[in-house]
Amino acid sequence: MEEIAKAMPVEKCGFVGKCQSHPSGYASYMSSSYSKPTTARIAAHAMQQLEAARAKDVELHQQNLPALENNKAVRERVIAVMKAVGIPDSWSERDLSSRARFPKNKTVGAGYLADLTKHVVVSDGFESATFTYETLKTRYAEYQATADAEAKRAEQQRAAEAERQKEERRKNLSLVSIILRYGLNEDADWPDVLEALRSKNQRLDLAVAMQQTRGDWSEGPYRVRDALNGFQIETTEDKDIANDVLSCLEDFCDGRVFRDTTWSYDRLFASVEDQQLVADVQMAASNVGA
């Protein structure tokens, strides 16, 4: 009789099964009393652990292949021999454990088949490990995508805050420069600066009032009316300006009229000879919400 090869031991795959079911499960392993890991770090660590476990399962499966092939051959040979000598795979017998009045028969599998299943292993669990790996990788990838999005938002917020701080420093430098340029009180803030600079030129004063009303006319054109009350007619052009702006107050309903009229605030700004003063007034106005 031909000698049958012996069964070979097979080590079960399952490193992936030891990974956390969700990436966030690694957070506790990475935290310390000094620091808490970011979602991005947790996601990267989780994916690293998963891929490392997968690599071990793949390597172990490759090592198991010769034993698996051998054991499949052993099983086939043993089953063939049993069939050759007339031993069936199963048979029927009365179910003596049944409490029925007339017990039915039950099918009993051949004992050697159970022995083969137990002692001649033909599967190392690689298929199950692969399914687990693919399931976890999808879950880990989704977590990674969320982490990337959070990291991007955080970076955008940091960049925006850095720019805000830069802009604030630029405004502070501009405020100091204007205070020094015009010899204003060193404690002056932007509203104080705007008021002081407007008083230096009546056209600027009127232009700012018109521009402010263009931005908000919910309470009517009172700013423009107040500026006109202090507007002195010194030249023919001053008269034209006053008459043009005054006409805008008749049946007033929309602040945009000061943008579109002949002597609009843009034209008034442009008519002032000292353009440095104009620029400083506009800077101050922009910093008080005008």
Side-chain angles (χ1 to χ4, degrees):
M1 183 177 185
E2 181 182 349
E3 183 178 354
I4 300 177
K6 292 183 178 181
M8 298 175 63
V10 174
E11 188 174 349
K12 286 287 185 178
C13 297
F15 290 100
V16 167
K18 298 177 183 178
C19 292
Q20 295 293 319
S21 62
H22 192 274
S24 59
Y26 288 101
S28 60
Y29 298 97
M30 302 173 65
S31 299
S32 70
S33 57
Y34 302 101
S35 64
K36 182 179 179 180
T38 63
T39 305
R41 279 189 57 208
I42 295 172
H45 179 76
M47 191 64 77
Q48 183 181 42
Q49 294 298 309
L50 178 63
E51 294 299 340
R54 173 60 175 176
K56 290 181 179 179
D57 278 337
V58 171
E59 180 181 7
L60 180 57
H61 180 62
Q62 292 299 317
Q63 294 173 358
N64 284 335
L65 286 178
L68 292 173
E69 292 300 319
N70 172 80
N71 290 355
K72 288 178 183 177
V74 169
R75 278 199 181 191
E76 291 172 357
R77 180 60 177 155
V78 169
I79 291 173
V81 169
M82 290 301 196
K83 288 183 179 296
V85 297
I87 297 177
D89 292 342
S90 62
W91 65 89
S92 295
E93 64 179 22
R94 185 65 58 87
D95 184 2
L96 299 180
S97 63
S98 175
R99 295 183 179 182
R101 182 177 180 181
F102 302 103
K104 296 181 179 181
N105 289 342
K106 64 178 181 179
T107 300
V108 180
Y112 82 90
L113 291 177
D115 291 337
L116 286 178
T117 300
K118 181 177 180 180
H119 299 292
V120 187
V121 178
V122 294
S123 174
D124 60 358
F126 185 68
E127 293 80 4
S128 177
T130 297
F131 177 80
T132 300
Y133 165 74
E134 292 173 349
T135 300
L136 290 181
K137 187 168 185 177
T138 298
R139 191 176 302 159
Y140 283 23
E142 291 173 351
Y143 186 82
Q144 179 74 65
T146 300
D148 291 343
E150 289 180 1
K152 184 176 181 180
R153 285 194 297 270
E155 180 58 32
Q156 291 173 337
Q157 291 173 352
R158 284 192 293 269
E161 176 60 19
E163 184 58 34
R164 186 196 66 77
Q165 292 179 2
K166 288 180 182 179
E167 181 61 25
E168 192 64 30
R169 287 194 294 271
R170 286 193 289 266
K171 289 180 180 179
N172 290 337
L173 289 173
S174 297
L175 178 60
V176 171
S177 297
I178 293 175
I179 289 173
L180 293 175
R181 184 176 297 124
Y182 299 98
L184 304 178
N185 189 309
E186 63 180 14
D187 294 329
D189 55 17
W190 284 115
D192 298 328
V193 168
L194 180 59
E195 182 179 356
L197 297 188
R198 287 176 66 173
S199 68
K200 293 181 178 296
N201 187 291
Q202 64 176 4
R203 292 193 182 189
L204 284 180
D205 183 53
L206 181 57
V208 170
M210 294 166 67
Q211 190 176 53
Q212 288 177 330
T213 305
R214 163 65 184 89
D216 177 13
W217 62 86
S218 60
E219 297 183 20
Y222 72 92
R223 302 180 186 88
V224 179
R225 185 175 291 109
D226 291 344
L228 280 175
N229 288 338
F231 194 83
Q232 300 296 316
I233 306 299
E234 299 174 355
T235 66
T236 302
E237 192 171 66
D238 289 340
K239 182 178 179 181
D240 292 339
I241 292 171
N243 287 333
D244 180 55
V245 176
L246 187 60
S247 68
C248 295
L249 301 181
E250 299 176 2
D251 300 323
F252 174 82
C253 63
D254 191 332
R256 288 173 291 187
V257 66
F258 299 119
R259 178 196 64 191
D260 303 328
T261 192
T262 301
W263 278 97
S264 66
Y265 49 78
D266 284 338
R267 186 177 178 186
L268 285 174
F269 282 134
S271 72
V272 176
E273 183 177 350
D274 188 349
Q275 284 297 300
Q276 179 64 63
L277 177 59
V278 172
D280 292 338
V281 165
Q282 290 177 326
M283 170 66 74
S286 70
N287 282 285
V288 294

